[in-house]
């Protein structure tokens, strides 16, 4: 068998590959340049060199930024795991141990900060040989194209080829800073207040106001923030009234930084946060242990419903 043709083409140069991988992950030449400690112009030159080498366009230059071409999407999906494996192997050599396990988890920023991170120390204590790499994003999990072991996702929990574990009830409540709007007692008065929204959950106010019977209040006006995390902080600072997921502001309510001006709580039932993992990939022991630990962490809140 003649294998010369299969191996005659040399591997692509490493620096252009690094520039493409960093840019593809962030879809930003500037962020890739910061990560690689080079100039944006240098990153652009490296990407052009790789495109010339492959004779394939990897990015579309759009008016509002970069977008991967279909070929670029496939190539990125193939090389990201290779770069991650290289990083892990290097870390194992430098760290003097190759027996540590790395678990890659992604979650929405608000849930990560408010629910997951305060509990992660407990997982590390229970399983010190497992390192958790936590990233955040509001977009849906994509196990086919992302190098992830599992993640947190908001929804109904009925995603194809995906296992799910319910983590927390999704109860909606208006909250305000402790010293803000002291005379706020009736939902109809919200028409005179600044409503604080998360861009990822723009219908939450509409759901609560409809249940409260305050149909004359416009549920979509007010200040909008990229995440609920920012909206909650704005409420603490006295900028308006936020619609909150009760389980994610429980500490602030207990500490008196936030208060609930109304008793009405809307439970969105199955539309809430789940831990999700792919069913069509081999499951590592690290993932099994992490899922079991999450179930134990979630149990008190779910039993309190």
């Amino acid at each position: 068998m003649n294998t010369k043709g299969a191996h005659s083409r040399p591997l692509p140069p490493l620096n252009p590959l690094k520039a493409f991988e960093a840019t593809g992950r962030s879809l930003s030449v500037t962020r890739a340049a910061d990560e690689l400690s080079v100039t944006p112009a240098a990153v652009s030159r490296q990407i052009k060199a790789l495109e010339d080498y492959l004779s394939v366009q990897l990015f579309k230059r759009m008016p509002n930024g970069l977008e991967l071409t279909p070929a670029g999407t496939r190539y990125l999906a193939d090389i990201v795991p290779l770069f991650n494996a290289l990083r892990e192997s290097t870390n194992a050599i430098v760290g003097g141990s190759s027996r540590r396990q790395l678990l890659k988890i992604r979650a929405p920023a608000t849930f990560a900060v408010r629910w997951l991170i305060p509990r992660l120390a407990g997982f590390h204590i229970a399983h010190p040989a497992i390192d958790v790499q936590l990233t955040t994003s509001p977009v849906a999990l994509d196990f086919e194209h992302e190098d992830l072991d599992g993640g947190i996702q908001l929804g109904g929990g009925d995603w194809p080829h995906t296992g799910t574990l319910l983590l927390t009830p999704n109860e909606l409540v208006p909250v305000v800073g402790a010293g803000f709007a002291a005379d706020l007692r009736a939902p109809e008065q919200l028409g005179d207040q600044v409503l604080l929204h998360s861009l990822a959950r723009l219908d939450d106010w509409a759901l609560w106001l409809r249940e409260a019977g305050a149909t004359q209040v416009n549920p979509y006006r007010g200040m909008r923030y990229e995440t609920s995390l920012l909206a909650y902080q704005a409420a603490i600072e006295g900028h308006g009234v936020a619609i909150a997921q009760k389980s994610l502001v429980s500490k602030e309510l207990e500490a008196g930084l936030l208060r609930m001006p109304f008793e009405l709580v809307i439970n969105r039932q199955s539309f809430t946060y789940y831990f999700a993992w792919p069913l069509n990939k081999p499951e590592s022991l690290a993932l099994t242990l992490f899922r079991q630990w999450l179930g134990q962490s979630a149990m008190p809140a779910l039993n309190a419903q």
Side-chain angles (χ1 to χ4, degrees):
M1 179 178 176
N2 182 7
T3 60
K4 182 178 179 182
H7 299 284
S8 60
R9 188 175 181 89
L11 290 172
L14 181 58
N15 283 339
L17 271 180
K18 288 166 58 180
F20 168 66
E21 190 255 0
T23 305
R25 281 188 285 104
S26 62
L27 291 180
S28 169
V29 169
T30 301
R31 285 196 288 271
D34 290 341
E35 178 181 328
L36 299 173
S37 299
V38 297
T39 65
V43 171
S44 296
R45 286 195 298 270
Q46 296 285 9
I47 292 172
K48 180 62 167 59
L50 183 61
E51 290 178 326
D52 290 344
Y53 178 88
L54 299 172
S55 299
V56 170
Q57 184 180 2
L58 299 172
F59 292 101
K60 296 178 183 177
R61 279 70 177 178
M62 310 297 288
N64 58 344
L66 291 178
E67 181 180 306
L68 285 162
T69 64
T73 299
R74 290 193 302 270
Y75 199 43
L76 183 68
D78 286 338
I79 70 169
V80 163
L82 300 178
F83 270 87
N84 287 338
L86 181 60
R87 292 185 184 102
E88 290 167 24
S89 297
T90 303
N91 289 337
I93 292 294
V94 173
S97 171
S98 61
R99 294 190 294 176
R100 299 191 66 81
Q101 301 175 74
L102 179 63
L103 194 62
K104 299 171 185 176
I105 303 297
R106 180 157 72 70
T110 299
F111 191 88
V113 172
R114 296 277 175 168
W115 195 95
L116 185 56
I117 289 175
R119 293 167 168 81
L120 271 181
F123 177 77
H124 181 68
I125 292 171
H127 304 286
I130 301 175
D131 294 327
V132 177
Q133 176 178 295
L134 176 62
T135 57
T136 64
S137 174
V139 303
L141 298 167
D142 184 357
F143 294 118
E144 183 177 351
H145 298 103
E146 291 184 275
D147 185 23
L148 293 171
D149 296 297
I152 313 298
Q153 185 154 304
L154 178 67
D158 52 352
W159 305 294
H161 312 299
T162 303
T164 57
L165 172 68
L166 181 67
L167 293 180
T168 180
N170 189 2
E171 298 174 318
L172 300 181
V173 294
V175 294
V176 295
F180 181 75
D183 59 345
L184 185 59
R185 295 181 177 85
E188 293 77 11
Q189 293 177 285
L190 288 168
D192 299 323
Q193 303 294 332
V194 176
L195 302 185
L196 307 178
H197 306 261
S198 164
L199 287 173
R201 304 173 59 92
L202 284 176
D203 292 328
D204 282 359
W205 264 120
L207 292 169
W208 191 90
L209 288 167
R210 183 175 62 205
E211 192 72 16
T215 56
Q216 76 280 17
V217 178
N218 182 347
Y220 296 105
R221 63 174 182 77
M223 301 291 290
R224 301 183 178 190
Y225 299 89
E226 183 179 13
T227 66
S228 298
L229 185 65
L230 299 178
Y232 300 162
Q233 186 60 39
I236 292 172
E237 300 290 339
H239 296 172
V241 187
I243 186 73
Q245 298 151 90
K246 188 177 179 182
S247 63
L248 301 187
V249 294
S250 57
K251 288 186 178 180
E252 286 73 20
L253 290 170
E254 293 170 5
L257 294 174
L258 290 172
R259 65 181 182 86
M260 294 167 45
F262 312 108
E263 295 182 359
L264 178 64
V265 176
I266 305 300
N267 192 333
R268 299 202 63 187
Q269 304 297 333
S270 61
F271 186 85
T272 188
Y273 287 104
Y274 292 83
F275 180 67
W277 66 96
L279 295 178
N280 54 0
K281 295 181 180 180
E283 181 173 317
S284 66
L285 176 60
L287 178 59
T288 301
L289 293 173
F290 188 75
R291 187 173 69 248
Q292 292 172 348
W293 168 80
L294 274 178
Q296 294 169 355
S297 298
M299 197 176 300
L302 294 175
N303 289 340
Q305 282 190 281

